[in-house]
């Protein structure tokens, strides 16, 4: 791969901070969450998902329990948090708000984390 090829390669996923006008392309959905965590820790800003590359249509619901339930058909052993934030971000919900809602719903016992940064419906 030449330097020109690598500059032209578009990452399959991206998130952006509207306040900083920074966009980060990443290779996996869960890296969207990692970008949010780093950016939020440094700036206290939220981010939105601007590009996704899933082989299926994302749910249109905004409540995370419904989104996780609909995405479970595509994943074994839990839905990546990045897939959940990508789905809710398409409905206008920033990444940080979705992660907070996921945390709150997990505390009710309706969702659990079968492995790091993956969730499933109980």
């Amino acid at each position: 791969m030449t330097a020109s090829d690598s500059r032209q390669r578009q990452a399959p996923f991206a998130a952006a901070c509207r306040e900083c006008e920074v966009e980060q392309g990443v290779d996996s959905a869960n890296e969207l969450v990692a970008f949010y965590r780093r950016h939020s820790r440094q700036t206290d800003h939220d981010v939105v998902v601007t590009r996704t590359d899933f082989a299926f249509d994302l749910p249109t619901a905004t409540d995370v329990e419904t989104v996780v339930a609909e995405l479970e058909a595509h994943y074994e052993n839990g839905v990546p948090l990045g897939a959940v934030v990508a789905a809710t971000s398409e409905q206008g919900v920033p990444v940080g708000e979705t992660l907070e809602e996921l945390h709150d719903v997990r505390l009710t016992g309706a969702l659990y984390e079968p492995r790091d940064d993956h969730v499933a419906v109980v």
Side-chain angles (χ1 to χ4, degrees):
M1 179 183 306
T2 67
S4 176
D5 290 340
S6 65
R7 278 191 299 262
Q8 292 178 1
R9 179 187 164 269
Q10 189 175 40
F13 300 94
C17 173
R18 293 181 176 141
E19 295 178 66
C20 297
E21 297 182 12
V22 172
E23 184 174 41
Q24 177 71 53
V26 294
D27 290 327
S28 75
N30 268 355
E31 289 179 69
L32 296 169
V33 175
F35 168 67
Y36 160 76
R37 288 174 175 154
R38 284 190 309 273
H39 190 75
S40 177
R41 192 172 37 248
Q42 293 173 349
T43 66
D44 203 31
H45 297 159
D46 209 331
V47 302
V48 294
V49 176
T50 57
R51 185 174 52 248
T52 62
D53 186 19
F54 291 99
F56 49 84
D57 291 332
L58 292 171
T60 58
T62 56
D63 74 282
V64 296
E65 190 175 344
T66 301
V67 171
V68 171
E70 291 182 22
L71 287 173
E72 280 188 312
H74 304 285
Y75 297 97
E76 291 183 29
N77 203 16
V79 177
L81 293 180
V84 179
V85 300
T88 57
S89 195
E90 283 197 0
Q91 305 308 314
V93 182
V95 172
E97 286 183 32
T98 298
L99 293 176
E100 285 178 25
E101 186 180 348
L102 279 167
H103 175 77
D104 292 346
V105 173
R106 282 183 27 224
L107 291 178
T108 69
L111 297 176
Y112 72 104
E113 192 171 12
R115 56 187 170 130
D116 288 346
D117 289 340
H118 291 71
V119 289
V121 175
V122 173

